[in-house]
Amino acid sequence: MIRFALLGDPVAHSLSPQMQNAALNQMGVIGEYTAIQVDAKSFERVVEELREQKFVGANVTIPHKELAFNIASARDEASTELHVANTLKFGDEVECINTDVPGFLAALGACDPGTALVLGAGGAAKAAVWALANEGWSVRVWTRTPEMAHSICIWDNVVAVETPDVGDCDLVVNATPVGLKPGEVPPANWAQLKEGAVVFDLAYRDEPTDLLKLAANAGAKVIDGREMLVEQGALSLEWWLNKTVPRDAMRRAVGLS
Ligand code: NAP
């Protein structure tokens, strides 16, 4: 039996265990993926215990992605650039990678670079902004706490904006938690969405968010955050198992067709 964990606080709501266990099942791997709630002061101890118990690796979610980066002694380029990691592998040493970045780009799919607006300036926004800037997008960042935008506007082609104006944007990414609850839509002048724009909502529920419904009705192409969830999880599993991971069972497990 090979074992994996999700470490975060809270983790009870997470779709990752059902998604990763569905992949293990479909692959015929005798394994188990469990969510473990852990607070910041216990994080290092719990990681050590998992290593001793021969867990293969762990995904890491809010609020421990920075701790995960700090604990690792070998890191990939994306985690090194962003100072946050969402995947740990346990062996003689603890290694980390950031699969949010390639997971975001895989979910975005083939899309000619243009002007993007990213709402929010937390960990997910940082991954999206870096990924887009590297792909040649001109990126605007809006956040309700202006000081936070400056910690993210550190790459070429990334600027802070004072208002969440979607009017001339080819891509709008919601990287705030607004939309996790029914009835919530992130602040922006959505009625001004440009024809043919793409709206990518990183906040996800077990059905499309209100923002995705609104954007689809306005004729936009929409991308559900569960697409990124599946991709980042599959990339973690591929790194741990060194095998290609089929996406279909994972997609079904999170309610995507
Ligand atoms: P985070 O680090 O806590 O950052 C949240 C950001 O949203 C901050 O900039 C925060 O601004 C802003 N914000 C919070 N409430 C807001 C409101 N009411 N109005 C406007 N802005 C608000 O969180 P995160 O890790 O970046 O995650 C953000 C969202 O992405 C979450 O819903 C998470 O579940 C989702 N996510 C999805 C995936 C995926 O695979 N689909 C991966 C990672 C994250 P302040 O600094 O002003 O509070």
Side-chain angles (χ1 to χ4, degrees):
M1 160 82 81
I2 52 178
R3 289 181 295 166
F4 311 91
L6 170 69
L7 305 178
D9 187 11
V11 286
H13 67 288
S14 174
L15 298 177
S16 289
Q18 68 200 56
M19 178 180 84
Q20 300 288 37
N21 284 316
L24 293 172
N25 247 336
Q26 188 184 14
M27 295 169 76
V29 174
I30 315 264
E32 188 180 40
Y33 183 104
T34 326
I36 302 175
Q37 177 151 344
V38 49
D39 61 23
K41 63 180 189 318
S42 315
F43 186 79
E44 197 164 347
R45 177 179 55 75
V46 170
V47 165
E48 204 39 52
E49 284 170 6
L50 295 181
R51 276 181 80 190
E52 283 165 15
Q53 292 168 30
K54 305 285 184 239
F55 274 65
V56 174
N59 281 130
V60 180
T61 187
I62 293 178
H64 302 320
K65 291 185 183 182
E66 208 174 322
L67 282 175
F69 170 78
N70 288 332
I71 230 171
S73 50
R75 300 153 170 157
D76 73 340
E77 187 198 357
S79 61
T80 303
E81 185 71 30
L82 301 173
H83 285 234
V84 290
N86 71 332
T87 312
L88 295 174
K89 183 152 75 178
F90 308 132
D92 293 338
E93 58 180 351
V94 177
E95 296 172 67
C96 77
I97 60 173
N98 187 315
T99 67
D100 281 338
V101 170
F104 171 84
L105 287 174
L108 180 63
C111 211
D112 287 337
T115 300
L117 173 68
V118 176
L119 306 175
K126 216 169 179 183
V129 165
W130 187 64
L132 290 169
N134 268 345
E135 293 292 306
W137 287 80
S138 171
V139 186
R140 300 172 186 169
V141 180
W142 173 83
T143 180
R144 65 178 177 179
T145 312
E147 309 83 69
M148 292 302 293
H150 299 298
S151 68
I152 211 171
C153 297
I154 51 177
W155 298 291
D156 287 346
N157 298 331
V158 182
V159 295
V161 290
E162 284 176 12
T163 50
D165 198 355
V166 301
D168 60 346
C169 295
D170 305 293
L171 168 67
V172 185
V173 178
N174 174 37
T176 78
V178 182
L180 292 178
K181 294 185 198 132
E184 291 181 344
V185 173
N189 53 344
W190 297 110
Q192 313 277 310
L193 258 184
K194 185 170 142 178
E195 204 187 319
V198 177
V199 175
F200 189 165
D201 197 352
L202 301 197
Y204 59 85
R205 295 209 307 265
D206 52 7
E207 59 166 352
T209 58
D210 289 39
L211 169 59
L212 293 183
K213 289 178 194 160
L214 174 159
N217 283 339
K221 178 189 170 201
V222 296
I223 305 174
D224 193 303
R226 289 173 292 175
E227 301 283 356
M228 174 175 165
L229 180 75
V230 167
E231 282 299 331
Q232 60 79 35
L235 291 168
S236 298
L237 213 46
E238 287 180 341
W239 186 52
W240 292 323
L241 298 174
N242 203 20
K243 281 184 185 154
T244 304
V245 172
R247 274 40 171 188
D248 44 339
M250 301 177 84
R251 293 176 58 81
R252 280 195 301 275
V254 301
L256 292 169
S257 55

